[in-house]
Amino acid sequence: MPTIQQLVKLNRQKIKKTTKSPALKSCPQRRGICTRVYTTTPKKPNSAIRKVARVKVTSGFEITAYIPGEGHSLQEHSIVLIRGGRVKDLPGVRYKIIRGSLDCTGVKNRKQGRSKYGVKKVSIVTSSTNKKGKK
């Protein structure tokens, strides 16, 4: 325990919280340009080919972002929107690309969990619904 005199001389130090996604700079999303789009393999117990992109963010950072969903249309110089959220089995990947915004298209033929993959609701328009007030 410090004495009162020691506390008068030097105050107690506040513990500084470090952010898990520094490239976002306290923003919910950031825009960036893909510098490299490639595939990589996950850590030990898992086995797959994960799609990732190296992105130059408007905040000045060069980050690695995960491309979620099946299939993508991204290539070098594509403009993307990134959000926070790490991928547990890819070391150093702390960001995800938002599907269905800017140059990144939504996932094709997706019926469930569409909002996370930028897919609009598929509406079935039939001739019976167009008969408004007609007999």
Side-chain angles (χ1 to χ4, degrees), residues 9 14 16-17 24 63 82 107 111 113 118 120 134:
K9 252 184 173 176
K14 285 266 193 320
K16 290 178 182 168
K17 291 178 183 174
L24 294 178
I63 55 120
I82 62 150
V107 179
K111 302 286 188 276
K120 298 273 187 236
K134 292 183 181 177

Side-chain angles (χ1 to χ4, degrees), residues 23-32 57-59 80-83:
L24 294 178
K25 295 233 175 138
S26 302
C27 298
Q29 298 97 19
R30 279 278 184 168
R31 185 170 47 93
V57 190
T58 51
S59 56
V80 293
L81 202 65
I82 62 150
R83 65 176 174 90

Side-chain angles (χ1 to χ4, degrees), residues 14-134:
K14 285 266 193 320
I15 297 169
K16 290 178 182 168
K17 291 178 183 174
T18 57
T19 176
K20 288 185 177 180
S21 51
L24 294 178
K25 295 233 175 138
S26 302
C27 298
Q29 298 97 19
R30 279 278 184 168
R31 185 170 47 93
I33 299 168
C34 293
T35 53
R36 186 172 167 233
V37 180
Y38 60 102
T39 59
T40 186
T41 52
K43 281 199 313 194
K44 197 56 187 271
N46 296 338
S47 176
I49 295 172
R50 305 258 191 257
K51 280 72 178 176
V52 291
R54 201 95 176 109
V55 180
K56 178 95 170 112
V57 190
T58 51
S59 56
F61 287 80
E62 178 95 26
I63 55 120
T64 309
Y66 179 67
I67 307 167
E70 294 176 10
H72 66 85
S73 60
L74 293 180
Q75 52 192 356
E76 202 176 336
H77 308 303
S78 293
I79 298 168
V80 293
L81 202 65
I82 62 150
R83 65 176 174 90
R86 77 183 193 120
V87 182
K88 200 164 182 276
D89 60 4
L90 293 176
V93 179
R94 301 191 212 166
Y95 307 92
K96 288 180 181 173
I97 290 173
I98 298 173
R99 299 291 304 249
S101 68
L102 303 177
D103 284 351
C104 192
T105 56
V107 179
K108 287 189 174 81
N109 303 323
R110 185 136 189 130
K111 302 286 188 276
Q112 295 179 326
R114 297 186 330 272
S115 64
K116 291 182 180 179
Y117 298 94
V119 182
K120 298 273 187 236
K121 179 125 181 150
V122 179
S123 61
I124 303 162
V125 179
T126 59
S127 59
S128 62
T129 57
N130 294 337
K131 295 177 182 176
K132 207 172 193 179
K134 292 183 181 177

